[in-house]
Amino acid sequence: MSEGRAWLGVYRTRPAIAIIATCAVCSFLLRDILVSRAFTQWLVAPLALPVFITCPAGIAVAIGCIGPPARLPDPPRVKLARGLWAVLLMALAAGACILGTLGGGLGVASAGIVVRNVLVFAALSLAAVIAGWTSFAWLLPLMLVLVGIQFGVSGDGGYPWWAVFLAPQANGRELLVAALAFSGVVLVYALRPPVIRRE
């Protein structure tokens, strides 16, 4: 029990859980709001607001994975625990956003969209943490959203592969690719602790 408390104290658990809890509340309360236009760009298909709440939820996963700046002993069991910790945070973030699919809103069939997007945003954020740029864990997901909204509509009215998070449906291939990308980032994160730089 004391090891668990120590683990939670070493990592940035509180801000991560606070963001995930906020995402859960917002996802549930705002589930019926449809977004058809962002800034000056019309989306190909209206998307429920919880689809966009997946961005801060994915960032929260990376925040929760930020550990101590000092190099500590890193035996195999710690590597395994670090990987499982990232997966647990991902499951919590996805579960929080899936609340927006309950009781209307997106509909149960669209829970795949939420999971796909949280996987994508968590992978991007965690990659920044692995690189040591912990203060910029939010940058890649946010830039992807902004660039995707402005420039992610292809000529045939669909979305290119890099703006897949805007697609109104999620197929099995997209979920598999997103899960593999996240798994690869988690594997790197588990095998070598990030070097925290002074920013």
Side-chain angles (χ1 to χ4, degrees):
M1 191 65 171
S2 60
E3 289 183 4
R5 282 198 299 268
W7 182 275
L8 296 176
V10 166
Y11 287 85
R12 296 187 185 171
T13 308
R14 286 186 180 179
I17 296 300
I19 295 171
I20 290 172
T22 304
C23 289
V25 172
C26 292
S27 181
F28 184 75
L29 294 179
L30 305 176
R31 66 188 182 275
D32 293 321
I33 296 177
L34 290 177
V35 178
S36 57
R37 180 178 175 176
F39 307 112
T40 60
Q41 182 67 42
W42 289 92
L43 302 178
V44 172
L47 294 173
L49 193 57
V51 172
F52 295 97
I53 293 174
T54 57
C55 183
I59 295 170
V61 174
I63 290 173
C65 290
I66 298 172
R71 285 288 191 183
L72 299 175
D74 200 36
R77 65 186 179 90
V78 173
K79 294 179 190 294
L80 177 62
R82 195 165 47 240
L84 292 175
W85 175 244
V87 171
L88 173 64
L89 288 172
M90 166 60 209
L92 288 174
C97 293
I98 283 176
L99 285 176
T101 70
L102 305 176
L106 284 170
V108 176
S110 296
I113 298 172
V114 170
V115 173
R116 175 197 65 198
N117 288 6
V118 176
L119 284 166
V120 169
F121 294 130
L124 290 172
S125 296
L126 192 53
V129 170
I130 292 169
W133 302 107
T134 55
S135 296
F136 296 100
W138 55 271
L139 185 60
L140 286 176
L142 187 60
M143 290 303 295
L144 180 63
V145 170
L146 295 177
V147 172
I149 288 172
Q150 290 298 317
F151 307 107
V153 180
S154 60
D156 60 355
Y159 293 101
W161 65 269
W162 57 268
V164 69
F165 67 93
L166 290 171
Q169 298 296 328
N171 58 43
R173 184 181 62 187
E174 292 171 359
L175 284 168
L176 179 62
V177 171
L180 289 175
F182 179 74
S183 299
V185 173
V186 168
L187 182 62
V188 174
Y189 171 73
L191 292 178
R192 78 173 185 87
V195 177
I196 308 302
R197 297 175 178 152
R198 292 184 179 181
E199 299 157 351

